[in-house]
Amino acid sequence: MNAPSSLPHRRARVRAPELIGKGGWLNTGGKQVTLADLRGSIVILDFWTFCCVNCLHVLDELRELEERHSDTVVIVGVHSPKFVHEAEHQSVVDAVERYEVHHPVLDDPDLATWRQYAVRAWPTLVVIDPEGYVVAQHAGEGHAHALERLVTRLEQDHAAKGTLRRGDGPYVPPEPVATDLRFPGKAVALPGSGHYLVSDSTRHALVELAADGETVVRRIGTGERGLVDGDAATARFSEPQGLALLPDGSVVVADTVNHALRRVDVETGRVTTLAGTGRQWWQGSPTSGPAREVALSSPWDVAWFEDRVWIAMAGVHQLWTYDPRRERVEVAAGTTNEGLVDGHARDAWFAQPSGLAAAGSRLWIADSETSALRWAERSADGEDGYVVRTAVGTGLFDFGHRDGPAGQALLQHPLGVTVLPDGSVAVSDTYNNALRRYDPVSGEVSTLATDLREPSGAVVVDGDIVVVESAGHRLTRMHLPEEAVRVEAVAHRTQRAATDVAPGAFRLDVVFSAPAGQKLDERYGPSTRLLVSATPPELLAEGAGKGTDLFRDLVLDPAVPEGVLHVSAMAASCDDDPGNEYPACHVHQQDWGVPVRLADRGDSRLALVLAGMDTGADAAPDAGADAAPDAGARAGQ
């Protein structure tokens, strides 16, 4: 196990590489920012991409730190795309507004700065001190407390040295735009009135629209972030997404950033909380129990299926259910591992399930990060719960726009799914800006419409389909076409370059240093966890499976030329205070999918930094360093 340390490794004295990105800068009033401009400030680079729910979690984690240290800390978002759509500049502009990013953002569509800093995962945070040196790196979520301690210490040290500069950073807010909806997420048709209820996600509210889909009837929620029950004028949400009608005529809301389910009485507009604590679920937390006592994690959509509310729990790659009769929640499918694995629900893997639709015996699922359309249904014998199957999609790294037989068809990060009157399934193919159709009878995939701006959901009304164009800030009603739209087929893989690795014996190290004032607490058993697997599984001749050490000796099969190493790591650190019987503890976790290619001269060690600095033998920085030759700051690209 990597020995914990309370301070960043002192051997490293690595000059931070310059920030470069072909897309330029956002939130700076048009100014190009350099590291020299930021000298004297503590800089936190947030490598993110807007498809990634873990990146969105980190944005929320950083808000309080950003406000508390506004005169000493400059957070810089480095947008590093996974999907082709995310490399389009306007898409980044939209995402920065959609998720209320209140700091400068560098648009890096070619991953130039990502490579300079040898980043391996979304999200990754890199801390640069006021003199321009990299002092820490953190991958994944749960690092807010560690950053708070590090920033406080850096403020003290550099104030004493005279190298800390206080003042405003380079952030310049963009001009607000007046529209009735701003990045709406999902919609539901209200029976009787013909109206629509829409989640107005960026404005933290719900909007009821008249039957024309344009006229605002009322707003539910103040428009300010918060978790507050009450009437339409006082209730608060935080980036609500999915909506579903309940049998009693009320609407259940996936209140995503509040990690909660809310109920709206359509008649009165009153909002109450059904499930969730307002805090995010972490590994080791309860996965079933009284609904108001169990934490959830970024519920993205909801559907009524088999007498329960099913929840697309995007934040932990699972499906959960809420039973309104017993007022309980529990996990229904998924292991929390990210990927595409079918089979019994308890063994299935998902990747940010974001859209749900029930039809007969099937629950259809838009599994966004695998660009897949999947479904859950009861197992054949009816006695072993549910099984999960895939209709379209192959995994985390392949995506595109290709029609035809489902086995070779491609989607790109779909967020919504809708059952059509003929039993086929419409997919809101979000990053293709298209509406697609899957026919379960013929097994064919076709395109119904293109030129939609990030469709994220749809509802069927009187034989037409009403699409939520999220980046278009509107609902669009269209007739279902009799013939498919012809679209030139394109196929993509994530553009991250594969790492050359040596076949045979191979060392995997997950680097973790406990934050200052904390330690790994072993009083109740191991506080670290490591899960390793591969696609294809044959890549790993030895070393797959679970363990409690943050290192693993693997054997890579030379007969498998390339693949993906899947690594999931967790570490819990607690306050190092012998006099405190109940010290505060924090969980750090991250999943990596590392494309690798076997080569005779490839690396025989892979280091993945969960928190701290890699000081292994081959840990030289990618860019220039004012450092001794043995100083290291990276995991090796």
Side-chain angles (χ1 to χ4, degrees):
M1 180 181 298
N2 293 35
S5 146
S6 61
L7 297 173
H9 199 283
R10 289 299 183 182
R11 290 172 59 200
R13 186 68 172 164
V14 180
R15 177 70 70 179
E18 190 53 81
L19 306 178
I20 53 176
K22 190 170 68 176
W25 287 87
L26 306 176
N27 285 354
T28 62
K31 180 182 177 180
Q32 301 298 302
V33 177
T34 67
L35 285 177
D37 299 328
L38 303 177
R39 195 64 49 79
S41 298
I42 301 163
V43 179
I44 300 176
L45 304 182
D46 176 16
F47 289 86
W48 70 298
T49 189
F50 63 81
C51 73
C52 164
V53 71
N54 310 95
C55 299
L56 305 185
H57 291 166
V58 168
L59 284 176
D60 292 316
E61 289 178 2
L62 292 175
R63 294 186 200 280
E64 189 174 339
L65 181 144
E66 191 170 23
E67 182 176 346
R68 185 182 297 117
H69 300 275
S70 60
D71 64 337
T72 58
V73 171
V74 175
I75 296 175
V76 174
V78 182
H79 189 268
S80 312
K82 171 185 175 181
F83 290 99
V84 169
H85 176 72
E86 294 175 306
E88 299 170 4
H89 183 69
Q90 184 58 49
S91 299
V92 182
V93 173
D94 288 343
V96 167
E97 180 188 353
R98 179 195 299 268
Y99 297 116
E100 297 185 309
V101 179
H102 293 165
H103 50 249
V105 173
L106 175 65
D107 181 11
D108 183 19
D110 298 330
L111 302 182
T113 296
W114 168 287
R115 287 191 293 269
Q116 288 276 54
Y117 283 83
V119 175
R120 290 192 177 277
W122 297 279
T124 291
L125 300 170
V126 176
V127 183
I128 302 171
D129 73 12
E131 295 178 285
Y133 293 95
V134 175
V135 293
Q137 181 172 326
H138 302 271
E141 307 176 46
H143 301 294
H145 69 290
L147 290 173
E148 175 66 35
R149 289 171 182 257
L150 177 57
V151 164
T152 299
R153 200 201 70 199
L154 289 172
E155 287 175 338
Q156 296 169 348
D157 291 350
H158 287 273
K161 291 175 66 176
T163 50
L164 182 69
R165 182 187 67 199
R166 294 182 181 271
D168 294 334
Y171 171 64
V172 178
E175 290 293 325
V177 181
T179 54
D180 290 328
L181 299 173
R182 206 69 191 160
F183 299 103
K186 309 282 186 181
V188 65
L190 299 176
S193 65
H195 293 180
Y196 304 94
L197 192 63
V198 185
S199 54
D200 196 15
S201 303
T202 295
R203 292 196 175 133
H204 316 298
L206 308 179
V207 178
E208 184 177 344
L209 299 178
D212 61 7
E214 298 180 1
T215 304
V216 176
V217 176
R218 62 174 169 170
R219 299 185 71 86
I220 300 174
T222 66
E224 299 176 331
R225 283 186 190 271
L227 179 56
V228 178
D229 289 343
D231 60 25
T234 59
R236 291 191 181 188
F237 300 89
S238 188
E239 297 182 31
Q241 290 285 341
L243 307 168
L245 279 170
L246 296 180
D248 65 3
S250 63
V251 172
V252 61
V253 182
D255 194 5
T256 304
V257 178
N258 276 328
H259 311 294
L261 295 189
R262 316 290 292 282
R263 177 187 180 273
V264 177
D265 185 314
V266 176
E267 292 295 325
T268 66
R270 185 160 188 83
V271 178
T272 54
T273 299
L274 296 178
T277 64
R279 298 182 300 276
Q280 184 183 340
W281 185 93
W282 288 100
Q283 290 286 351
S285 301
T287 57
S288 65
R292 294 291 302 273
E293 299 176 15
V294 177
L296 309 181
S297 182
S298 295
W300 208 276
D301 202 7
V302 282
W304 182 255
F305 178 62
E306 296 197 344
D307 299 322
R308 289 174 290 169
V309 175
W310 286 66
I311 310 164
M313 203 73 78
V316 286
H317 318 300
Q318 291 179 313
L319 303 181
W320 287 41
T321 61
Y322 165 70
D323 184 340
R325 182 178 58 83
R326 299 187 300 151
E327 297 185 347
R328 292 179 64 85
V329 293
E330 62 183 351
V331 174
T335 64
T336 75
N337 295 320
E338 185 178 11
L340 194 155
V341 176
D342 288 342
H344 291 296
R346 63 177 179 270
D347 301 321
W349 290 24
F350 296 94
Q352 288 179 214
S354 302
L356 299 175
S361 62
R362 288 185 176 181
L363 179 71
W364 293 97
I365 306 154
D367 200 28
S368 62
E369 279 292 283
T370 56
S371 298
L373 172 64
R374 307 174 74 182
W375 79 87
E377 63 185 355
R378 287 204 175 270
S379 58
D381 57 21
E383 297 180 358
D384 197 22
Y386 293 85
V387 293
V388 175
R389 305 293 184 211
T390 298
V392 182
T394 60
L396 287 164
F397 298 98
D398 293 285
F399 55 92
H401 191 147
R402 186 162 63 199
D403 290 331
Q408 56 88 54
L410 293 172
L411 309 169
Q412 186 180 179
H413 198 80
L415 290 178
V417 60
T418 308
V419 178
L420 300 179
D422 65 357
S424 63
V425 181
V427 179
S428 295
D429 194 5
T430 309
Y431 287 5
N432 279 326
N433 295 315
L435 189 68
R436 311 286 293 283
R437 175 180 179 268
Y438 168 68
D439 184 346
V441 176
S442 67
E444 291 286 315
V445 175
S446 56
T447 299
L448 297 176
T450 57
D451 299 322
L452 300 168
R453 291 199 61 195
E454 292 191 7
S456 57
V459 294
V460 174
V461 178
D462 298 330
D464 291 343
I465 191 163
V466 179
V467 180
V468 181
E469 286 194 74
S470 189
H473 319 295
R474 60 180 176 251
L475 303 187
T476 298
R477 183 165 180 161
M478 63 182 69
H479 296 300
L480 288 168
E482 295 183 2
E483 294 186 5
V485 177
R486 291 186 176 274
V487 178
E488 183 177 351
V490 292
H492 304 286
R493 283 183 65 84
T494 182
Q495 61 174 309
R496 286 186 296 162
T499 298
D500 285 340
V501 297
F506 187 80
R507 174 74 173 212
L508 171 67
D509 285 319
V510 173
V511 178
F512 178 75
S513 296
Q518 294 199 340
K519 66 177 182 179
L520 293 175
D521 192 339
E522 308 284 351
R523 291 178 300 170
Y524 306 108
S527 58
T528 56
R529 186 195 69 177
L530 182 64
L531 174 66
V532 181
S533 62
T535 303
E538 294 77 18
L539 174 64
L540 280 178
E542 296 179 20
K546 298 179 181 179
T548 57
D549 289 326
L550 290 182
F551 62 87
R552 187 74 57 82
D553 289 317
L554 312 176
V555 176
L556 305 182
D557 189 341
V560 181
E562 62 180 0
V564 178
L565 285 176
H566 302 284
V567 180
S568 177
M570 184 273 288
S573 61
C574 301
D575 290 343
D576 189 8
D577 181 2
N580 185 354
E581 185 178 357
Y582 304 103
C585 296
H586 304 271
V587 176
H588 317 253
Q589 63 183 46
Q590 173 63 18
D591 295 338
W592 292 268
V594 183
V596 297
R597 179 176 52 235
L598 270 62
D600 290 338
R601 296 188 177 182
D603 297 333
S604 59
R605 174 183 180 263
L606 173 65
L608 301 174
V609 179
L610 179 60
M613 301 280 279
D614 177 29
T615 56
D618 185 25
D622 258 12
D626 291 345
D630 64 345
R634 75 178 183 101
Q637 187 88 352

